[in-house]
Amino acid sequence: MTSFLEVNMPKEGIFYMVEEKTPEGIRHDLHYANKQIIPLQQSCLKFLNELCIAHLTTLKGRLDAIRLRFNLHKNIPIYISPCLVLMTVKAGNKKYYLNYYKIAETKNLGKGKTLIAFVDGNSLILDVSITVLQNRIKTVERLLKEGPF
């Protein structure tokens, strides 16, 4: 089982994570700069919980605190560290955990598609409207502005 401690790349390097439903089961991958991908043998949520525990809390604790402090009921950003704040987006059979700090820009491609350009020059096209993504970004920015970070 691959855990945070077994992954050789620093957690701050995570660009995004993907949870994909396939006929064989659910696949979990970490995506780093320059399209480096590390498959996980555990769920993205278990991996994120390990990251939170490394910071002396749990994923549930963080989500509950953010939910209460900011009166959010869904699509709650996941604050892990000053370099890793994730927002979730579902697109088809995939769930993406996008690191806010690694997004350089977003662009509306029309017909419900959005281009996400990352700071390393790579990009990702999602079947998600630009409005959905912009709302997730605004929520993260509110969290960072009003939070104790």
Side-chain angles (χ1 to χ4, degrees):
M1 182 157 89
T2 304
S3 72
F4 167 68
L5 300 173
E6 295 169 340
V7 175
N8 293 328
M9 296 184 166
K11 64 189 175 305
E12 289 83 4
I14 296 171
F15 275 54
Y16 62 97
M17 302 169 65
V18 181
E19 183 178 274
E20 179 181 11
K21 293 180 183 174
T22 68
E24 296 80 33
I26 300 176
R27 179 184 168 107
H28 307 272
D29 293 321
L30 296 174
H31 292 252
Y32 289 89
N34 303 315
K35 298 187 177 185
Q36 294 177 344
I37 301 170
I38 296 178
L40 292 173
Q41 300 303 313
Q42 61 190 20
S43 73
C44 291
L45 292 177
K46 284 184 182 178
F47 178 80
L48 291 173
N49 193 51
E50 286 184 21
L51 292 179
C52 290
I53 289 170
H55 289 92
L56 306 177
T57 186
T58 63
L59 179 59
K60 182 183 182 321
R62 294 218 178 190
L63 292 173
D64 287 347
I66 292 168
R67 184 179 290 118
L68 291 170
R69 170 95 190 259
F70 295 94
N71 196 28
L72 297 173
H73 303 287
K74 59 182 182 173
N75 304 316
I76 299 165
I78 305 168
Y79 181 93
I80 304 291
S81 73
C83 300
L84 183 58
V85 179
L86 301 168
M87 51 190 168
T88 58
V89 178
K90 289 184 182 178
N93 64 340
K94 296 179 182 180
K95 183 174 184 177
Y96 293 87
Y97 298 82
L98 304 167
N99 185 352
Y100 169 81
Y101 291 111
K102 300 299 182 184
I103 297 173
E105 69 175 309
T106 59
K107 182 178 180 182
N108 185 4
L109 299 179
K111 298 185 180 180
K113 292 189 182 291
T114 301
L115 174 101
I116 301 170
F118 294 101
V119 296
D120 69 345
N122 287 304
S123 61
L124 178 66
I125 296 174
L126 297 181
D127 288 326
V128 173
S129 76
I130 190 75
T131 305
V132 167
L133 196 54
Q134 287 173 338
N135 286 338
R136 299 293 196 286
I137 290 169
K138 286 178 187 173
T139 302
V140 170
E141 289 173 345
R142 177 180 162 222
L143 174 98
L144 295 173
K145 181 181 177 185
E146 298 175 19
F149 315 110

